[in-house]
Amino acid sequence: MEFDFRAVTAGFVLDGDFVSAERYGTGHINDTFKMYTTRQTYILQRINTAIFKEPEKLMDNFVRVCSHIEGKIAAEKQSNPACRRRFLQVVRSKSGEPFFRDADGGFWRCYVYVDGARTYDVLETPQQAYAAAAAFGNFQLDLADMPGRLNETIADFHHTPKRLAALEAALKADVKGRAAEVAPELDYIFKNREEYSILIDGMERGELFERTTHNDTKLNNVLIDDETGEGVCVIDLDTVMPGLPHYDFGDMVRTGTSPAPEDELDLSKVGMRFEMFEALLRGFLSGAGKFLNPREKELLPFSGKLITLEIGIRFLTDYLAGDVYFKIHREKHNLDRCRTQIKLAQSIEAQLPEMQKLTASL
Ligand code: ADP
Ligand code: GN1
Ligand code: MG
């Protein structure tokens, strides 16, 4: 789809005049652009309102989270202007809102591009894993004292049993006639079904506690500084809402431990690298270790397997439903993504005792 960027950018209070915009990043949901004016670089995003049905409430969360983090570093801002890079600076529309609706009803937001940092789809070193996980752990820590409860932008986002139920419904409907092809994947997913409610049950029993979490901690959702290698800023705040810390840690294990991308075709390349897990765990605990209880810590390794399988279930559901949720770029893309998740979950499963031993020792 082509967009009228001049009209969209005219809706925002920008520094300088619009020059150009280009597609950016590898996200599966929104349309993201890097946008240049004569004086500044921005990120411009068109929110997928088929998925985020109440985008105003989403932006309300977004602004609350950014202001809270900005408040935490207010004292430092005087002496260290660079600390502005640590939170997203939202650009207001000309009518003062943190978003702009175009003539076609498209819902847009804009924030300042953070220079001198980048994201990685596949992490290269344990140092990067530590830095990224520390950024997400500190993000949870920063938000632990935020007043009020955020809006739920997608209900039951990490409710794994409900994700399984959605898969079963898609299987029954089988609108594209793809069910027969995915028998081995279904087999592994169903074999593990007893485990899907462990976190939900732990919360109901009062052992695990709802907190404000990011819920989409794909490791390309944290900016890593080009020079220092430190985590600079957590981004992609659409799903920041009440959740369990395990959702965030689990997704880091999913996206940060395998040397292969999420849609790798050669499954022999997919697997959990223990040294990356260790770096993620140490990094995450450097922030989140300050508030997690022993049972919460104990379940961190398991969350890696659970969230990996949960996203696998979602990719498979979308494949069966005819690829209506995640953007795809080739045939069977969602099936390929599901297969890498399953291979990775099996690799995590095989190493779980060692992962738990390490966690207990920290
Ligand atoms: P998506 O929903 O498309 O994943 P993101 O908010 O994650 O959207 O942005 C996509 C990519 O754009 C990120 O992975 C990152 O590389 C880059 N990006 C996003 N926000 C910024 C920013 N403020 N500064 C620099 N790069 C950014
Ligand atoms: C989506 O938007 P993006 O690409 O960061 C998805 C996540 C999945 C991820 C899988 C709102 O994230 O939940 O884990 O794809 N976001 C939404 O790569 O569904
Ligand atoms: Mg993203």
Side-chain angles (χ1 to χ4, degrees):
M1 193 192 279
E2 285 306 308
F3 299 109
D4 182 355
F5 290 115
R6 262 179 212 287
V8 172
T9 53
F12 288 99
V13 182
L14 297 170
D15 185 11
D17 300 320
F18 172 75
V19 175
S20 64
E22 65 201 31
R23 257 191 201 274
Y24 202 64
T26 54
H28 299 336
I29 310 290
N30 297 320
D31 291 304
T32 302
F33 303 89
K34 188 172 181 182
M35 188 262 286
Y36 304 85
T37 68
T38 44
R39 296 166 56 92
Q40 177 72 267
T41 309
Y42 295 94
I43 289 286
L44 182 67
Q45 280 176 322
R46 183 173 176 271
I47 303 298
N48 183 332
T49 49
I51 289 175
F52 296 108
K53 296 205 165 60
E54 297 183 295
E56 291 89 353
K57 286 191 182 167
L58 183 158
M59 288 314 293
D60 181 59
N61 284 357
F62 200 108
V63 169
R64 279 167 69 187
V65 165
C66 296
S67 314
H68 189 73
I69 298 176
E70 182 176 6
K72 296 246 149 165
I73 52 182
E76 209 187 320
K77 262 195 325 202
Q78 310 299 330
S79 57
N80 176 19
C83 73
R84 282 181 180 284
R85 294 164 81 232
R86 278 194 239 144
F87 60 93
L88 292 175
Q89 297 177 59
V90 181
V91 178
R92 296 270 162 177
S93 71
K94 287 187 175 153
S95 52
E97 288 161 329
F99 56 83
F100 173 71
R101 266 191 197 278
D102 68 22
D104 304 320
F107 191 99
W108 295 83
R109 68 162 168 238
C110 181
Y111 36 89
V112 175
Y113 183 87
V114 177
D115 274 313
R118 54 164 291 205
T119 53
Y120 295 82
D121 284 338
V122 174
L123 293 184
E124 286 148 14
T125 65
Q127 288 76 16
Q128 283 171 350
Y130 183 96
F136 283 123
N138 281 311
F139 182 78
Q140 286 190 0
L141 183 65
D142 276 344
L143 298 183
D145 61 352
M146 189 172 58
R149 190 172 188 268
L150 291 182
N151 303 306
E152 287 184 50
T153 57
I154 298 180
D156 297 319
F157 192 58
H158 281 296
H159 195 298
T160 318
K162 289 192 182 172
R163 294 295 190 180
L164 182 70
L167 172 64
E168 288 174 316
L171 185 60
K172 203 162 157 218
D174 195 20
V175 292
K176 295 279 169 180
R178 293 172 173 177
E181 183 191 359
V182 301
E185 287 72 31
L186 290 169
D187 188 47
Y188 184 72
I189 287 168
F190 290 140
K191 204 179 85 194
N192 283 279
R193 69 184 314 148
E194 298 298 310
E195 295 183 353
Y196 297 152
S197 59
I198 288 178
L199 295 183
I200 305 281
D201 291 348
M203 191 152 48
E204 275 167 14
R205 277 202 299 272
E207 295 169 1
L208 311 177
F209 298 97
E210 178 187 281
R211 305 176 192 276
T212 301
T213 52
H214 183 284
N215 298 303
D216 185 9
T217 51
K218 237 201 286 205
L219 285 164
N220 65 16
N221 284 333
V222 57
L223 296 171
I224 306 284
D225 191 284
D226 292 336
E227 271 177 22
T228 65
E230 298 286 319
V232 180
C233 178
V234 168
I235 60 170
D236 208 341
L237 307 180
D238 299 327
T239 53
V240 180
M241 59 181 156
L244 292 178
H246 305 82
Y247 303 154
D248 287 2
F249 187 72
D251 206 29
M252 284 183 235
V253 175
R254 179 181 84 82
T255 56
T257 62
S258 177
E262 183 179 74
D263 57 357
E264 176 63 54
L265 285 165
D266 179 355
L267 293 181
S268 72
K269 292 185 181 154
V270 178
M272 209 230 25
R273 292 173 289 177
F274 197 86
E275 75 277 16
M276 298 300 266
F277 169 75
E278 176 163 0
L280 288 174
L281 183 65
R282 288 181 187 276
F284 184 63
L285 288 177
S286 72
K290 296 183 180 119
F291 61 80
L292 293 176
N293 70 36
R295 179 63 178 152
E296 287 174 316
K297 286 184 192 163
E298 192 185 340
L299 281 170
L300 290 175
F302 164 72
S303 73
K305 179 183 170 194
L306 181 74
I307 299 301
T308 302
L309 263 181
E310 180 189 279
I311 311 293
I313 287 171
R314 292 177 57 199
F315 286 141
L316 190 59
T317 304
D318 200 32
Y319 181 66
L320 292 174
D323 309 305
V324 291
Y325 187 96
F326 297 104
K327 280 186 190 151
I328 57 164
H329 307 291
R330 61 179 189 241
E331 232 185 287
K332 296 186 196 275
H333 207 164
N334 274 315
L335 179 58
D336 297 338
R337 290 169 176 153
C338 166
R339 288 180 171 151
T340 62
Q341 305 312 297
I342 288 180
K343 176 73 196 299
L344 182 59
Q346 289 166 335
S347 169
I348 296 171
E349 182 182 275
Q351 299 177 73
L352 209 47
E354 285 304 308
M355 293 160 72
Q356 284 162 339
K357 212 155 76 189
L358 173 71
T359 309
S361 77
L362 291 184

